[in-house]
């Protein structure tokens, strides 16, 4: 399904373009923004490959990867990177991921981003279930997911190898009816 576009009062989600490499690097290359993610800060070359891969994946049918730019309505700047990845082992389900540039934090835009992704997931993509995973140390992500309507579901032990160690993930889920109740 292409292209995906969704607007909220302060943000839009849109497809990535090759001009977004620096915008994504400001997030995925930043040690603070990636502190609790599943990878070390990325180099420019890695981000360029990621953006090109995301653009290529956006044209496949059926589409299994939705890597989207989060854009400020006010400035048109890319301020975040958001992702829905279809779960190959489940019916109508996807994993959700999100990260914002540090200078955009603390204004409610994280919750607005997650809600926008859920609107795409349960609206346009007609999914039944979305899940997410966070580092146990990532308490801001916990608050963001709960505020957007997710429910904590459990813990995956030693889920991710990052910063030279295995770490657990805390998982969250939301189903379509729960999302509708938040509207
Ligand atoms: C997670 C992230 C997107 C949150 O974005 P944000 O715009 O700062 O979040 P919001 O302003 O929408 O706030 C969401 C919740 O976190 C709380 N919060 C935000 N910043 C906080 C802080 N520094 N300390 C404590 N709580 C904080 C808010 O109060 C709100 O909770 P509440 O509704 O219960 O009051 C952002 O911190 C980020 O990009 N982090 C790096 C990437 C990442 O960790 N992604 C999640 C991967 S699972």
């Amino acid at each position: 399904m292409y292209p995906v576009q969704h607007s909220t009062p302060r943000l839009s989600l849109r497809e990535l373009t090759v001009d977004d490499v620096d915008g994504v690097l400001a997030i995925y290359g930043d040690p603070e923004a990636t502190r609790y993610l599943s990878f070390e800060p990325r180099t420019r070359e890695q981000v360029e490959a990621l953006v090109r891969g995301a653009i290529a994946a956006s044209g496949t049918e059926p589409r299994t990867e939705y890597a989207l730019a989060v854009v400020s309505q006010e400035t048109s700047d890319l301020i975040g990177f958001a992702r829905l990845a279809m779960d190959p082992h489940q019916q109508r389900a996807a994993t959700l991921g999100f990260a914002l540039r540090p200078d955009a934090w603390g204004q409610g835009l994280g919750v607005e981003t997650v809600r926008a992704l859920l609107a795409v997931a349960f609206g346009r993509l007609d999914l039944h279930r979305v899940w997410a995973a966070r580092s146990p140390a990532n308490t801001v992500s916990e608050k963001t997911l709960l505020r957007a309507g997710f429910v904590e579901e459990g813990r995956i032990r030693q889920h991710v190898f990052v910063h030279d160690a295995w770490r657990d993930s805390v998982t969250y889920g939301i189903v379509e009816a729960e999302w509708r109740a938040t509207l």
Side-chain angles (χ1 to χ4, degrees):
M1 196 169 294
Y2 179 94
V4 168
Q5 209 283 334
H6 182 84
S7 295
T8 67
R10 291 180 294 171
L11 301 172
S12 346
L13 299 180
R14 64 152 170 79
E15 300 288 350
L16 289 163
T17 77
V18 286
D19 296 330
D20 289 326
V21 172
D22 288 328
V24 176
L25 183 63
I27 304 160
Y28 272 11
D30 184 274
E32 202 186 354
T34 54
R35 174 165 301 145
Y36 300 122
L37 300 187
S38 56
F39 52 85
E40 311 272 345
R42 307 259 200 226
T43 63
R44 193 173 200 290
E45 290 66 35
Q46 287 172 327
V47 170
E48 193 170 340
L50 184 149
V51 169
R52 287 192 187 281
I55 293 168
S58 71
T60 58
E61 201 55 58
R63 184 172 177 184
T64 56
E65 280 279 335
Y66 294 81
L68 302 169
V70 184
V71 175
S72 158
Q73 298 267 19
E74 190 186 343
T75 63
S76 298
D77 267 9
L78 185 155
I79 59 159
F81 186 84
R83 182 169 171 257
L84 286 167
M86 297 307 121
D87 191 331
H89 306 298
Q90 269 187 279
Q91 297 157 292
R92 293 169 58 205
T95 312
L96 169 152
F98 53 99
L100 298 183
R101 212 170 64 193
D103 65 354
W105 293 358
Q107 305 165 50
L109 295 172
V111 175
E112 202 165 315
T113 297
V114 174
R115 287 187 173 143
L117 277 171
L118 292 178
V120 171
F122 292 122
R124 179 101 187 262
L125 304 185
D126 193 30
L127 299 184
H128 176 64
R129 191 184 133 76
V130 174
W131 73 284
R134 68 164 173 94
S135 158
N138 196 350
T139 52
V140 176
S141 174
E142 172 186 28
K143 289 184 187 174
T144 305
L145 290 164
L146 293 175
R147 180 67 60 194
F150 277 84
V151 175
E152 187 176 322
E153 294 189 326
R155 195 173 184 105
I156 307 176
R157 295 176 309 128
Q158 301 197 10
H159 184 212
V160 172
F161 190 81
V162 67
H163 303 302
D164 298 322
W166 287 103
R167 71 133 170 95
D168 296 357
S169 291
V170 183
T171 65
Y172 295 80
I174 182 168
V175 296
E176 186 195 355
E178 292 165 342
W179 168 72
R180 290 209 179 276
T182 68
L183 299 179

